[in-house]
Amino acid sequence: MQATTTGFNQIKRQLVLLLLGCCASATLYAQHTIKGTVYQKDTRKTLPGAAVLLYDEKARIKAQTQSDEHGNFTIENVQIGFYRLLVSFMGNRTEMIPVEVNPRVKTVTFNYIQLSPSISLSRVEVKADRPLMSIRKDTIEFNAGELPTLPNANMHELIEKIPGLTMDDNGNLYYLGSPIKELFIDGRSLLQNMGNVKRVMEILKADLAEKIQISDKKNISGITEPGKNEKVLNIVVKDAMKKGVRGTVTGGCGTEDRYNAGTTFNMFRKKFTMLGDILANNNNTQSDASTNYQGSFMGNSQQGTNKIFNVGTYSTMEIRKKIKLSVNLRHQEQDMTSSELQERENIFADSSTFYHTNTQKHQISKRNGGILFMDMQPNINNKIIVAAMVERESKEVHNNRLYNTTTSRMDTLNTGMLNNNDSAVNKTLDVTTSYSHKFGKSGRILSLQTSLRKTWQYSYQFNISQNNVFRPLYSADTINQHVSPKNEVYSGSISATYSEPIGKYWSLALYYSIQNAITKNRQNTYDFNILKHDYIPNDSLTYRFDSRIINHTAKPSLTYNRGKLMLIGSAGLSLSTLTSDNYTTRNKAVRHTTYVDRALSAIIKIDPFKTINITLNGITLPLDAQLLWPINNNSNPLYIQLGNPGLINAFANSLSFSYFSNSIKGMAFAHSLEGRYIQHSFSTAVFTDTLGRQVSMPINVSGNWGINDNTMLGFKIKNPGITVNYSNAFEYNRTISQINHLDNIVKRYSLLQLLAASFNWRKRMEFTTRIGIDYRGNMLSLQNDHYTDFVQYTLALNVSAWLPLDFNVGSNIQYTNNTDAATHFTLLNGWFGKTFLPNRSLSAKFYAFDLLRQNKSVVAYYGSTYRERLETTNLAQYFMFSLTYAYGRKGTKPPIPKMP
C-alpha cells in the first residue's frame, strides 16, 4: 500500500513539473506588442507617416511600419528579447530606442517619441543593410545610392533597376502595372504629357538623383480618385548638382550617309529647373550618338528609314513661394520613307479572300506646340491650377500601292493601283482651369473646373486608282479625285464638386457638370473630267453635317474612411441631348437619353505596405455622332464606311480586384483581375459587293465580354546587385460582329510574359536582359470554331564593361521569332569607346549597327473580320564614329575598382 502511494506521488510531481515547463515555454514564446506615438519636438505636433524599423540584436530587420494620421504606430507579434527601435522622418534626426520585451509586460508603450529637426545627419550606426525603399503615407521612396550604375549612365538606366518600375519602347512608365502620368523634379511638375519622358530620361544623368519617389496621382482637392490607380514620379536632385549648367554636345557620322548630332543642357536650382534638347539624325532613333541604342522590343520599331530634327525645352520654377509654373516647348520634324508588304485574309463563312499589297510610302510631318501648367496656392485653404496646350501639326503623305485580291484557290478577283497624295493640318487649343477651397471644417471642400477645347482638321487629298475586276465578268474602274475634308470640334464644360463630412468617418460629395460639344464635318469631292480637263463636283461623295451634344450630369457619392478601410459608393444621373443635321441628305436626328452610372469601391490597407482594391463600375458609353452618317474614305475605294442612324448608347459593367504589396527589402508584387460585360456594344457589320469592295457599318450587339488577369513581380538582391521585373498578362475577349449578314463570334486569347533583369558588378560591368513571349489565339464561329494561333519570342541581351585606362566596350543582341509570319532574325550591335580629360568629359565611340544584316520589322495581327501580316523595310547595317563632350561636371574623377 505504501509503495502504491509513493508511486502515485511521483507521478503527480512529474505532471506538475511538466505543466510548469509548458507554462514557462508558453511564456517564453508568447507574442508581445510594441506601441508608440511620434511627435515633432519643436512644434509638439504628431508626425503621420514616420518610418519605424525594429532590429534584433544581430542588426536584422524584424518588422517595419509607419505612424498613422495621428502619429501612432503598432508592431505586433514580437517575441521576447532585446531590440533597437529606429524612428525617422524626413527633415528630422533619427531616434534609436533600446527595447526589452520580457514576459512580465504584454505591451511595451512609448507615449512620447520626439524627433528633433536635423541640422546634421544622425550618428546612429546600425550594422544592417540600408533599406532600398521606404514608405511615407502614400509615397514610395527609393534611395538612388542603392542602385549602382556605370559611369556616364542616364536616368533611364537608373530607373530600370527599381523593382516594379518599367518602361516600354514607346516611353510609357508603369509601376506595378499602374501608369505613371506625371513627372516631377524636386516636387515641381515638369511633364504632364508623358510622350517625351523617354528622351527626358536620357537627358538627365543618373548621378544627379538622390531619391526616386512614386506616389498616387491626386486631383486638385488633394484626393486620390479610387479605381484610377494612376501614379506620379518625382526625382529629388542632390544639392551638389544645383550649381552651374551641365550638358552634352554630340556629333557622329557613319557609313550609308548616316549622321547623328545634338546637344543637351540642364540647370537645377532650389526654385528653378530647366532642360533643353536639340537632336538631328537619320538612324531611326530618338537618342543621340552617345547612347547605346538597340532594336525595339517585341516588334514596335519605327517603320522604314527616318530623318528627324527635334528641339525641346522643359522648365519648372517657383515664381513666388506659392506659385509654381511649368512651360514645355517643342518643335519636331520627321521625314520617313518605307516599303511595306501587307497580306490580309478577309474571313467569310464558307471561304476567305486574300488581299495583297505592295506600298511605297513617303511621309513628311512637322509639329509645333507648347504646354503651360501653373499651380497657385495663395494660402492653405485655396488652390488654383491653370493648364493650357497649343499645338499645330502638318503632314504630307504620298502612297503608291499595287494590290490584288485572290480566292483561297488563288483565282484573281481584282487587281489595281492606288496613288494617294494627302496633306493635312491639325490644330488644337485646350485650356483648363481648376479652383479648390477648403473651409474651416476639416473635410469640407468646394472644387470648380472649367474646360475649353477646340480642334481644327483640314485635309487635301488627290487620289488616283485603277481597279480591274475579273469575276464574274471583267470590268475596269478608274477614279481620279480631289477631296478636301474638314472637321472642327468645339467643346466646353463646367463642373463643381462639394464635399461635406457628415460624421466621424463619413463624408458626402455632390458632383454636377454641364458639357457642350459641337462637331462640324465637311467634305468636298471633285472628279477629274477628261473633256474639260478639270475637276468637277461629285455630289454623291460630298457631305456636310453638324452635331451638338449637351450633357447634364449629377452624381452624389458617399465615403466611409476609417484609416485601414475606405468605402466609396456613387450613382450618377445624366441627361443627354444629341442633335445632328445632315445637310446633304436633309435628314435630322434628335436623341434624348437618360442614363445612369454607378460605382462602388473598397480600399483595404492591411498595413502601410499592403493594399487591396475592389471596384464595381457601371457606365454608359455614349455613341459618337459621326457613327450616324456615312464617312467616305476616298484614299482606298475598296473600303466603304456607312452610317447607322439607328444606333443606341452602350453600357459597360466591370468588376475588378487588385492587390499591391511592397517591402523595404526591395520586393514589389501586384495582382489584378478584371471582368467586364458590355450591353449594346458598338460593333461592325461587313459585307462585300460584286466589285470586291468591303462595305462596313456600325451596329449594336449584346454579348461582348472579357476578362484580364495581370501579375507583376519585382525584387532586388543587393549582393550581387541584381534587379528582376516579371509580368504575366492573360486576356480573353468574346466579341460579336456580322459578316455578310451572319453573326460571327470571335474568341480572342492573349498571354504575354515579360522578364527583365539587370546585374551590375562593382560599377564596372553591367548585364541587362529582356525576354518576351507573346501568344495570340483566335477562334471564329463563322468558320466552325476554327482555331488559329501564333507565338512571338523575343530575347534581348545588353552587355557593357569599363576597362582599365578608361576604355569601354559593349554589345547588344536581339533575337525575334514569329511563328505566324514564319520568320526569325537576329539584330546584333556592338561598340568600343574611350573617355578622355578629367571627369571623363570627352568620349569617343565607334558603333556598329546590324552586324549580321538581318534587321526586319514584322507584325502579325488578328482582327474580328480578318488576319493580317505586315512586313516593313527597316534600317540596315551601318558603322558610325562619334565624339561627345560633357560640360559642367564638378569634382574629381571617381576611381574604378581594379579587376580581381
Side-chain angles (χ1 to χ4, degrees):
M1 187 70 179
Q2 180 67 32
T4 304
T5 305
T6 303
F8 180 72
N9 291 334
Q10 291 178 350
I11 293 175
K12 287 197 298 181
R13 285 195 297 269
Q14 292 176 357
L15 290 175
V16 170
L17 291 175
L18 179 61
L19 181 60
L20 292 175
C22 292
C23 294
S25 176
T27 303
L28 180 63
Y29 291 97
Q31 304 298 311
H32 296 260
T33 301
I34 299 176
K35 292 183 177 181
T37 306
V38 185
Y39 292 84
Q40 215 282 340
K41 185 175 182 179
D42 290 352
T43 63
R44 299 185 180 273
K45 293 183 178 180
T46 57
L47 289 176
V52 182
L53 302 177
L54 185 68
Y55 292 88
D56 63 9
E57 291 181 289
K58 296 182 179 181
R60 295 174 300 187
I61 297 177
K62 305 302 293 183
Q64 70 270 349
T65 185
Q66 67 179 16
S67 57
D68 59 19
E69 62 270 18
H70 304 295
N72 301 320
F73 68 88
T74 302
I75 300 177
E76 298 178 339
N77 301 323
V78 181
Q79 295 183 3
I80 295 173
F82 294 92
Y83 300 90
R84 280 179 290 187
L85 190 70
L86 263 71
V87 184
S88 62
F89 190 81
M90 187 180 299
N92 294 269
R93 285 196 179 103
T94 300
E95 290 293 330
M96 186 197 72
I97 304 172
V99 181
E100 179 185 359
V101 178
N102 57 57
R104 297 184 301 274
V105 181
K106 186 69 175 178
T107 301
V108 181
T109 304
F110 299 94
N111 291 322
Y112 203 71
I113 300 175
Q114 300 181 82
L115 300 185
S116 303
S118 60
I119 301 174
S120 61
L121 293 177
S122 174
R123 299 293 297 177
V124 176
E125 295 182 2
V126 179
K127 295 181 181 179
D129 292 340
R130 183 184 180 187
L132 172 67
M133 58 162 286
S134 60
I135 296 181
R136 306 180 188 278
K137 292 187 177 180
D138 61 347
T139 299
I140 303 172
E141 184 177 274
F142 296 89
N143 297 306
E146 300 297 311
L147 305 169
T149 57
L150 294 179
N152 295 343
N154 58 40
M155 191 63 64
H156 182 194
E157 295 169 298
L158 175 72
I159 65 172
E160 69 180 5
K161 295 175 174 57
I162 295 178
L165 184 60
T166 56
M167 176 187 288
D168 62 18
D169 284 332
N170 297 321
N172 301 309
L173 283 169
Y174 299 89
Y175 183 71
L176 291 178
S178 300
I180 294 177
K181 291 295 187 180
E182 201 167 350
L183 175 65
F184 288 78
I185 299 289
D186 285 335
R188 298 186 300 270
S189 178
L190 183 74
L191 282 179
Q192 293 80 40
N193 180 2
M194 298 292 282
N196 299 322
V197 68
K198 188 174 184 179
R199 181 56 183 160
V200 171
M201 290 297 179
E202 291 180 348
I203 297 174
L204 299 174
K205 296 301 179 182
D207 60 355
L208 65 86
E210 180 178 3
K211 299 179 185 297
I212 305 293
Q213 299 172 335
I214 301 173
S215 58
D216 296 331
K217 184 174 175 62
K218 297 180 174 60
N219 59 22
I220 188 173
S221 302
I223 299 173
T224 301
E225 298 183 19
K228 282 195 172 183
N229 291 330
E230 296 178 347
K231 306 290 184 179
V232 299
L233 186 143
N234 180 45
I235 300 174
V236 180
V237 180
K238 298 175 181 176
D239 289 338
M241 298 297 176
K242 298 177 182 179
K243 300 177 182 179
V245 180
R246 292 160 47 106
T248 59
V249 179
T250 304
C253 62
T255 60
E256 309 298 327
D257 296 327
R258 300 297 161 200
Y259 64 88
N260 194 330
T263 180
T264 68
F265 71 90
N266 55 74
M267 181 169 55
F268 301 97
R269 297 293 184 270
K270 185 177 181 180
K271 297 183 178 181
F272 178 77
T273 297
M274 187 171 186
L275 311 178
D277 175 35
I278 301 176
L279 182 64
N281 64 51
N282 65 347
N283 59 347
N284 276 27
T285 178
Q286 300 291 328
S287 305
D288 55 45
S290 64
T291 304
N292 299 325
Y293 37 81
Q294 50 190 296
S296 185
F297 198 65
M298 298 302 289
N300 295 322
S301 59
Q302 287 185 325
Q303 297 180 355
T305 57
N306 295 261
K307 297 179 183 179
I308 67 167
F309 176 69
N310 296 339
V311 180
T313 62
Y314 316 89
S315 60
T316 174
M317 65 199 78
E318 291 185 20
I319 300 177
R320 293 184 179 178
K321 186 176 181 180
K322 298 181 179 180
I323 301 179
K324 299 178 182 180
L325 175 66
S326 299
V327 179
N328 301 335
L329 303 175
R330 63 177 179 267
H331 170 79
Q332 298 175 338
E333 297 182 14
Q334 183 181 28
D335 189 326
M336 185 271 289
T337 58
S338 69
S339 177
E340 301 175 355
L341 294 176
Q342 178 189 9
E343 297 179 3
R344 171 180 287 198
E345 178 186 0
N346 295 313
I347 301 167
F348 305 106
D350 52 353
S351 63
S352 295
T353 62
F354 297 87
Y355 177 61
H356 313 268
T357 67
N358 187 342
T359 304
Q360 305 299 317
K361 187 175 183 179
H362 183 206
Q363 176 176 306
I364 301 173
S365 61
K366 295 182 180 180
R367 177 180 295 180
N368 299 281
I371 298 175
L372 179 145
F373 183 83
M374 182 179 291
D375 186 330
M376 297 173 286
Q377 191 164 6
N379 53 57
I380 195 173
N381 293 324
N382 294 280
K383 188 174 183 179
I384 302 172
I385 292 179
V386 178
M389 189 266 287
V390 179
E391 185 175 87
R392 183 185 188 276
E393 180 183 17
S394 63
K395 184 181 296 186
E396 295 182 11
V397 182
H398 307 281
N399 287 327
N400 292 315
R401 180 181 304 170
L402 299 177
Y403 69 86
N404 69 83
T405 306
T406 62
T407 65
S408 56
R409 297 181 179 181
M410 301 306 294
D411 296 328
T412 301
L413 296 177
N414 60 15
T415 63
M417 175 273 298
L418 297 174
N419 189 332
N420 309 119
N421 297 309
D422 300 348
S423 62
V425 176
N426 302 325
K427 296 184 289 185
T428 303
L429 172 64
D430 193 346
V431 179
T432 301
T433 60
S434 304
Y435 169 73
S436 175
H437 175 72
K438 296 181 179 180
F439 296 89
K441 185 177 180 180
S442 177
R444 181 181 293 172
I445 303 173
L446 174 65
S447 299
L448 302 174
Q449 186 176 63
T450 63
S451 175
L452 176 64
R453 180 180 178 88
K454 183 176 181 180
T455 60
W456 303 262
Q457 298 176 355
Y458 304 104
S459 179
Y460 304 92
Q461 306 171 0
F462 288 93
N463 305 316
I464 301 176
S465 66
Q466 175 70 43
N467 186 29
N468 302 308
V469 181
F470 295 91
R471 291 174 179 271
L473 298 174
Y474 175 79
S475 63
D477 184 18
T478 301
I479 298 177
N480 185 347
Q481 291 178 333
H482 171 210
V483 186
S484 58
K486 298 181 181 180
N487 179 269
E488 296 182 5
V489 178
Y490 309 82
S491 61
S493 67
I494 300 175
S495 62
T497 303
Y498 177 75
S499 301
E500 175 69 25
I502 56 176
K504 185 177 180 180
Y505 304 112
W506 295 89
S507 64
L508 177 68
L510 299 175
Y511 170 82
Y512 172 79
S513 72
I514 177 172
Q515 300 171 327
N516 187 359
I518 302 174
T519 304
K520 295 184 177 181
N521 290 278
R522 307 286 187 271
Q523 176 170 294
N524 297 318
T525 306
Y526 304 88
D527 291 332
F528 184 77
N529 188 291
I530 299 179
L531 298 178
K532 296 184 177 180
H533 203 71
D534 195 6
Y535 288 92
I536 61 175
N538 183 333
D539 294 336
S540 62
L541 296 179
T542 296
Y543 61 80
R544 175 173 173 259
F545 63 88
D546 295 345
S547 303
R548 177 193 292 268
I549 298 178
I550 299 177
N551 189 63
H552 298 264
T553 301
K555 181 181 295 186
S557 62
L558 187 63
T559 301
Y560 173 80
N561 187 356
R562 199 167 181 174
K564 291 188 175 182
L565 175 63
M566 178 184 292
L567 299 175
I568 303 175
S570 64
L573 176 66
S574 297
L575 305 177
S576 178
T577 301
L578 166 63
T579 304
S580 186
D581 292 299
N582 189 334
Y583 299 106
T584 306
T585 61
R586 295 182 175 84
N587 291 331
K588 183 176 182 179
V590 179
R591 300 285 184 86
H592 298 285
T593 306
T594 302
Y595 55 87
V596 296
D597 299 341
R598 56 179 181 268
L600 179 62
S601 298
I603 302 173
I604 305 169
K605 290 189 176 182
I606 302 175
D607 57 39
F609 305 91
K610 301 179 181 66
T611 304
I612 295 176
N613 292 342
I614 303 174
T615 302
L616 174 64
N617 272 331
I619 184 171
T620 299
L621 306 177
L623 63 92
D624 192 332
Q626 297 188 19
L627 300 178
L628 301 177
W629 313 118
I631 303 297
N632 299 306
N633 177 15
N634 302 83
S635 61
N636 191 342
L638 292 181
Y639 295 95
I640 301 172
Q641 179 181 337
L642 301 179
N644 185 359
L647 283 178
I648 61 176
N649 294 331
F651 193 88
N653 303 273
S654 66
L655 175 62
S656 63
F657 169 88
S658 59
Y659 171 77
F660 301 91
S661 173
N662 289 282
S663 168
I664 63 173
K665 295 183 179 181
M667 175 78 73
F669 174 80
H671 181 264
S672 62
L673 177 64
E674 180 185 14
R676 59 190 175 277
Y677 176 78
I678 304 178
Q679 299 170 283
H680 309 298
S681 176
F682 302 127
S683 186
T684 305
V686 177
F687 60 91
T688 57
D689 61 13
T690 57
L691 298 179
R693 295 178 298 189
Q694 194 172 85
V695 182
S696 65
M697 182 179 69
I699 59 174
N700 288 114
V701 298
S702 288
N704 287 4
W705 63 276
I707 186 171
N708 291 343
D709 184 86
N710 298 297
T711 301
M712 284 78 53
L713 173 65
F715 60 89
K716 183 174 179 63
I717 305 174
K718 184 173 182 179
N719 292 313
I722 298 177
T723 300
V724 178
N725 284 308
Y726 169 77
S727 65
N728 180 14
F730 170 77
E731 184 174 1
Y732 170 81
N733 285 298
R734 180 186 186 272
T735 59
I736 301 175
S737 60
Q738 286 187 357
I739 301 178
N740 288 339
H741 308 291
L742 298 176
D743 286 342
N744 178 37
I745 299 176
V746 181
K747 299 176 182 179
R748 189 173 294 123
Y749 304 83
S750 172
L751 178 62
L752 177 62
Q753 297 187 78
L754 297 173
L755 175 66
S758 67
F759 166 58
N760 186 287
W761 182 71
R762 299 187 178 183
K763 296 186 179 181
R764 184 180 188 92
M765 184 176 292
E766 188 167 279
F767 299 85
T768 60
T769 183
R770 289 193 294 175
I771 301 173
I773 303 176
D774 188 5
Y775 172 80
R776 303 290 177 93
N778 213 42
M779 181 182 293
L780 308 177
S781 66
L782 201 64
Q783 294 186 335
N784 298 320
D785 290 337
H786 178 60
Y787 187 74
T788 55
D789 60 355
F790 75 91
V791 183
Q792 177 169 312
Y793 307 90
T794 305
L795 170 64
L797 175 64
N798 189 86
V799 182
S800 300
W802 282 78
L803 307 176
L805 302 178
D806 283 339
F807 285 97
N808 60 88
V809 64
S811 175
N812 57 55
I813 182 171
Q814 180 168 308
Y815 172 77
T816 302
N817 188 334
N818 189 302
T819 60
D820 184 84
T823 184
H824 60 89
F825 54 91
T826 302
L827 174 63
L828 175 62
N829 306 326
W831 64 88
F832 179 81
K834 177 174 172 50
T835 58
F836 305 89
L837 303 181
N839 304 315
R840 303 188 182 96
S841 298
L842 181 64
S843 174
K845 185 174 99 173
F846 177 77
Y847 181 81
F849 179 82
D850 191 19
L851 287 168
L852 302 180
R853 289 188 177 274
Q854 295 185 12
N855 191 28
K856 295 181 182 179
S857 176
V858 179
V859 178
Y861 180 74
Y862 287 170
S864 300
T865 60
Y866 64 90
R867 305 183 188 100
E868 184 175 279
R869 175 182 181 271
L870 180 65
E871 180 176 339
T872 308
T873 58
N874 215 331
L875 196 62
Q877 184 185 92
Y878 70 88
F879 302 90
M880 178 174 288
F881 176 78
S882 67
L883 288 173
T884 301
Y885 176 70
Y887 59 89
R889 293 187 176 179
K890 304 294 182 183
T892 59
K893 183 172 77 172
I896 294 181
K898 294 182 179 181
M899 293 282 289

